[in-house]
Amino acid sequence: MGSAGNVGRVRQPVLPLLPADARPVGASAGLVEGPDGGVVVVFGLATFGYAAGDDLGRRLAAVQLAATKVAAAAEVAAAFGVSGVTLWRWGQDFTRGGVAGLVRDRTGPKGPVKLTGELAARIAALDGQGLSLRAIADRTGVSTATVRVALGRVTPRPRATASTEPAWPDIDATDADLVADVDGADVESAGLEVLAAPVPRLVERAAARAGELIEAPVVITQGARLPLAGLLLALPAVEGTGLLQVAAGVFPPMRNGFYGLRATLLSGVFLALLREPRAEGASRVRPADLGRMLGLDRAPEVKTIRRKLAELAGHGRGADLQAALARHHAEHRPDAVGFLYLDGHVRVYTGTREVPKTHIARMRIAGPATEETWVADTDGDPVLVLTAEPSASLAGELRRLLPDLRAVVGAGRRCTVVFDRGGYSPAVFTEIVAAGFDLLTYYKGAWARSQPEAFTAQEYTAPDGTTARYELAERPIELPVTAQPATPGRDATPAGTLRLRLVVRRSPDGHQTPILTNRSDLTAAELAHRMAARWRQENYFTYAREHFALDALDSHTDTADDPARLVPNPAKARAHSHLAHARADLAAAHAALSDAIEQATVRAGQAGNGGKATVDPAATHALTAAEDALTAAETAARTTPSHLPLAQVRPGSRLLETERKLLTHAIRMSAYNSESALACLLRPHYARGRDEARALLREAFTLPGDLQITDRTLHVRLDPASAARRSRALAALCAELSATNTHYPGTELTLAYSIKGHPSPT
């Protein structure tokens, strides 16, 4: 016995609550498993037990352990070696059917095996006759996939046994989206192979090497958790841009090979959506992953993409492709071409070639660059791009583009051309109106400001529901028009006046911005809004430079510049500089002579000079020399030609290739416009859709998913996004895209989209 202070204390050690070989399940339970089965111990008591091979008893023990809250579901799942989703599914089965609900049916094929030895021999015989896979499948009554297995062109998947446990993602079952994933779309795709390898295309590639294949046909790889499945979300929008159909009508058939026009263009669009718009970007995407989305075993790699683009560019139809795409845009989106925004864009060149220089406004310097003229629709989406002539003005480009714009919008359709001060020219305004267009631009030059009392507050509600408030004043204005001589393809413009409407917008700091238009049917507030929307085109340039390689040098090929093209004569500028210096020297000589005369006058008034003094002759000689120098400078400035043939000024001048750039522009414009269309559909379903729709789409394009074909439908079931609200928005987008009933290019398969864990579109 111990002392009185230790009365009641137990001296022997406390027995452990869990056996030494038990796996802890939370703080109070443990699991002991061995060759004879398993036992669940709770607070030192054996509570549940099951024999070896008794999968039903093991599931029941796990479900009841979780249901009694002895341990958290994640702890129970970890102890039993399953995922949280699997444990949750067991619980659902137990809730619906009791113990009987935990009995697992045999997985895998339920019916007899179709591919018998006799059938395999028949398939081999038909293949020996040279029949295609489709013809063999039709004759034998099986699928082409079964034919490939019989011919040894793909390894068949092992059949699952009754005890095989499906592979489920290791995720927390408390996430509502992911839990629903198991009970919904994942059950439908449980029979798909995870990360299924694309079907080998050995025969087609051999035929392509022999020059006997026009283009590899589309073969969809069915499988689960396939990377980049989200790219297929863009197909309905790409179909809307008309890129594949229009290009097929513009370009002649490509040379026989494995990759044709469809694969080349669709690869470019997919790479652009992945923010790898250049050919080099293909090296940063796994060819097999992108190949599955193209219906091929591998996507074209860098060298192949360059070679295919060079082949297309060699036809010299880049401008035709741009015009055809613009016409398709106007036909399918007539409401978007009521206002067309025109602006010039300068692509800076940083190489070593002698490329003509131009003014780079955003950099405020002059440097080597290529000028382009872009046309955007009412929403700021690009419609058309043309390479401008070197040193061309926007006013000159407007005059040159008028016939093309009329061909795009169609005869008789009203259209307003919107541009900035770079296109200001009353003579061009007259031609715009004569061509059946309306104009909207800024006034350029000196003008009388409106009085403060002339301004009134006006509001305009845009089609997207946003309301803008402006302080506006307006009055008519007449512009003098200078006569313009006739040129090839353009009639002469007589002198006269042009009466327009001047709308003045006052900013909060009092600055006044004058806007010119000939449209009298629109309110001043709408005109101010349409003019301000011109910045959407500038925003596109900024966005496309960052995300779509707008200014990338896609080809290192160049061509000789036109040696007969007239360019400014540098000697003319030097002659004008000498003339300015000569005038300054003459003024200085006059001033020096005046000083000499004044000094002589002072000396003449001094005592002893008799009222006489001699003017310094050096001042007179300097004045004579200055007058002679001015005469010579005037003669040189007058006789020096202002322009010379390029061959005399820059004999080594080069121009960058434009055909391939026009082609890559078309591909990236299609990608951007597809993204814009998806963003428009997504915004009503996403709280921050106006600001984050494109960011969500960038994530969506990278989502993995399942591809499964049933009948003539290609089901695209994407994994959930990074947040539940994003998944819900994408599910709504999937419903709208499925309603379009778009076919996968090159097949008769209708695309049906869904997000796992969300109701499938009906």
Side-chain angles (χ1 to χ4, degrees):
M1 297 294 292
S3 62
N6 293 329
V7 174
R9 178 178 297 176
V10 179
R11 290 184 173 275
Q12 65 184 31
V14 178
L15 294 176
L17 294 179
L18 299 180
D21 56 346
R23 291 198 298 269
V25 185
S28 307
L31 174 64
V32 180
E33 288 188 308
D36 299 329
V39 176
V40 176
V41 179
V42 180
F43 292 109
L45 300 177
T47 307
F48 307 108
Y50 50 89
D54 184 7
D55 293 337
L56 174 60
R58 190 174 188 271
R59 295 189 190 99
L60 179 61
V63 169
Q64 291 185 343
L65 190 60
T68 55
K69 306 296 184 182
V70 172
E75 295 171 334
V76 175
F80 280 80
V82 297
S83 69
V85 173
T86 299
L87 179 62
W88 178 89
R89 179 164 52 83
W90 290 348
Q92 293 296 303
D93 293 340
F94 182 75
T95 301
R96 287 192 293 264
V99 176
L102 295 174
V103 178
R104 313 308 294 173
D105 295 332
R106 180 173 67 89
T107 60
K110 305 300 188 297
V113 178
K114 293 183 178 180
L115 188 57
T116 61
E118 180 183 353
L119 180 58
R122 184 184 176 196
I123 290 175
L126 293 173
D127 181 63
Q129 298 176 14
L131 297 180
S132 66
L133 298 179
R134 173 56 62 187
I136 296 174
D138 292 340
R139 291 198 181 189
T140 57
V142 297
S143 66
T144 55
T146 303
V147 174
R148 289 191 183 91
V149 172
L151 296 177
R153 299 180 185 176
V154 63
T155 303
R157 295 181 55 210
R159 298 184 64 188
T161 63
S163 60
T164 300
E165 183 67 35
W168 295 86
D170 187 13
I171 53 178
D172 188 352
T174 60
D175 186 348
D177 279 328
L178 300 181
V179 168
D181 177 20
V182 178
D183 196 36
D186 250 12
V187 173
E188 300 175 8
S189 57
L192 296 175
E193 181 180 355
V194 177
L195 290 176
V199 177
R201 312 294 290 275
L202 302 179
V203 176
E204 289 93 338
R205 289 190 178 275
R209 286 193 294 271
E212 298 177 356
L213 182 67
I214 298 176
E215 181 177 7
V218 175
V219 177
I220 301 297
T221 299
Q222 300 186 71
R225 301 291 192 267
L226 301 181
L228 305 181
L231 285 173
L232 299 185
L233 288 172
L235 288 181
V238 173
E239 183 79 9
T241 66
L243 176 65
L244 301 181
Q245 308 93 304
V246 168
V250 170
F251 294 104
M254 299 186 70
R255 290 196 295 267
N256 288 0
F258 189 81
Y259 300 105
L261 183 64
R262 182 198 68 88
T264 301
L265 297 180
L266 205 54
S267 294
V269 172
F270 282 168
L271 287 173
L273 294 176
L274 292 174
R275 296 322 191 248
E276 296 289 356
R278 303 185 64 186
E280 292 79 359
S283 64
R284 293 182 282 274
V285 179
R286 294 186 69 248
D289 293 344
L290 186 57
R292 293 188 191 94
M293 301 306 110
L294 296 172
L296 304 172
D297 56 344
R298 291 174 64 86
E301 300 186 32
V302 178
K303 182 175 67 175
T304 303
I305 294 176
R306 287 176 176 168
R307 186 172 64 250
K308 294 296 182 179
L309 291 178
E311 178 185 345
L312 293 174
H315 296 297
R317 300 185 181 181
D320 296 338
L321 176 63
Q322 288 285 339
L325 286 173
R327 289 193 295 271
H328 184 278
H329 190 102
E331 291 170 3
H332 290 78
R333 296 181 58 188
D335 56 331
V337 294
F339 291 82
L340 291 179
Y341 294 86
L342 274 71
D343 198 4
H345 176 69
V346 177
R347 286 195 299 119
V348 179
Y349 174 72
T350 57
T352 59
R353 293 174 175 84
E354 291 291 335
V355 176
K357 292 184 178 182
T358 188
H359 179 66
I360 308 169
R362 65 180 182 275
M363 301 173 67
R364 298 184 179 181
I365 60 172
T370 299
E371 296 179 84
E372 297 170 340
T373 304
W374 285 77
V375 181
D377 66 10
T378 303
D379 300 321
D381 294 335
V383 175
L384 175 69
V385 58
L386 294 176
T387 303
E389 296 293 333
S391 303
S393 66
L394 182 57
E397 287 296 289
L398 274 169
R399 179 183 290 115
R400 181 171 72 96
L401 273 174
L402 288 177
D404 297 322
L405 295 181
R406 179 50 64 191
V408 167
V409 301
R413 179 183 295 179
R414 189 169 192 180
C415 176
T416 301
V417 181
V418 188
F419 49 94
D420 64 7
R421 292 181 178 88
Y424 186 89
S425 169
V428 174
F429 296 167
T430 302
E431 294 187 34
I432 291 174
V433 175
F437 291 96
D438 298 309
L439 66 95
L440 180 62
T441 186
Y442 294 114
Y443 183 86
K444 183 179 180 180
W447 63 290
R449 269 49 176 179
S450 298
Q451 297 300 317
E453 58 271 13
F455 290 92
T456 58
Q458 301 184 36
E459 291 184 352
Y460 174 72
T461 301
D464 61 0
T466 59
T467 299
R469 178 184 173 87
Y470 304 99
E471 294 286 334
L472 301 172
E474 65 173 290
R475 63 179 185 268
I477 188 173
E478 291 188 352
L479 303 179
V481 179
T482 305
Q484 300 291 325
T487 59
R490 182 171 62 89
D491 297 333
T493 301
T497 58
L498 179 65
R499 186 178 179 86
L500 297 175
R501 182 181 175 190
L502 181 68
V503 176
V504 184
R505 175 184 174 183
R506 184 174 64 179
S507 60
D509 62 359
H511 178 75
Q512 297 186 14
T513 303
I515 301 172
L516 282 177
T517 185
N518 66 322
R519 295 201 62 167
S520 58
D521 58 322
L522 301 181
T523 65
E526 181 174 358
L527 292 172
H529 173 80
R530 297 293 185 182
M531 195 69 236
R534 190 190 68 82
W535 283 102
R536 293 180 180 176
Q537 191 173 25
E538 297 289 348
N539 293 339
Y540 164 74
F541 293 150
T542 302
Y543 188 85
R545 274 198 301 269
E546 179 179 354
H547 294 277
F548 292 99
L550 177 67
D551 293 343
L553 187 64
D554 294 313
S555 171
H556 295 277
T557 306
D558 60 5
T559 59
D561 202 345
D562 181 9
R565 180 169 64 89
L566 295 179
V567 297
N569 183 6
K572 187 72 170 181
R574 291 194 295 269
H576 280 295
S577 178
H578 292 160
L579 179 60
H581 285 298
R583 287 171 176 164
D585 292 342
L586 180 60
H590 277 293
L593 180 59
S594 297
D595 290 341
I597 293 174
E598 185 175 345
Q599 293 173 4
T601 302
V602 172
R603 291 196 303 272
Q606 294 176 350
N609 290 334
K612 296 180 180 180
T614 303
V615 177
D616 185 1
T620 304
H621 294 289
L623 178 61
T624 302
E627 290 175 342
D628 294 340
L630 177 60
T631 301
E634 290 175 340
T635 302
R638 184 174 58 256
T639 58
T640 301
S642 61
H643 289 73
L644 289 176
L646 179 64
Q648 297 183 29
V649 179
R650 292 191 304 273
S653 181
R654 310 292 293 178
L655 293 177
L656 300 180
E657 184 206 15
T658 60
E659 283 299 322
R660 194 175 315 187
K661 192 60 183 177
L662 290 176
L663 180 58
T664 55
H665 273 326
I667 294 173
R668 294 163 193 171
M669 286 163 57
S670 177
Y672 177 86
N673 288 341
S674 299
E675 188 177 284
S676 296
L678 295 177
C680 185
L681 293 176
L682 189 61
R683 287 188 187 109
H685 309 291
Y686 195 48
R688 291 187 56 81
R690 185 174 296 277
D691 300 321
E692 298 180 2
R694 292 185 184 273
L696 175 53
L697 288 172
R698 290 198 294 271
E699 177 189 354
F701 295 144
T702 63
L703 290 177
D706 305 342
L707 300 184
Q708 188 173 27
I709 298 174
T710 59
D711 298 329
R712 292 185 176 272
T713 302
L714 173 57
H715 295 277
V716 182
R717 290 186 282 268
L718 300 180
D719 286 2
S722 58
R725 59 188 179 89
R726 291 191 160 208
S727 298
R728 288 191 294 269
L730 290 178
L733 175 64
C734 286
E736 297 201 37
L737 295 180
S738 298
T740 63
N741 294 320
T742 302
H743 288 173
Y744 186 96
T747 72
E748 295 298 324
L749 297 174
T750 303
L751 290 161
Y753 301 93
S754 62
I755 300 294
K756 297 177 184 178
H758 294 267
S760 300
T762 57

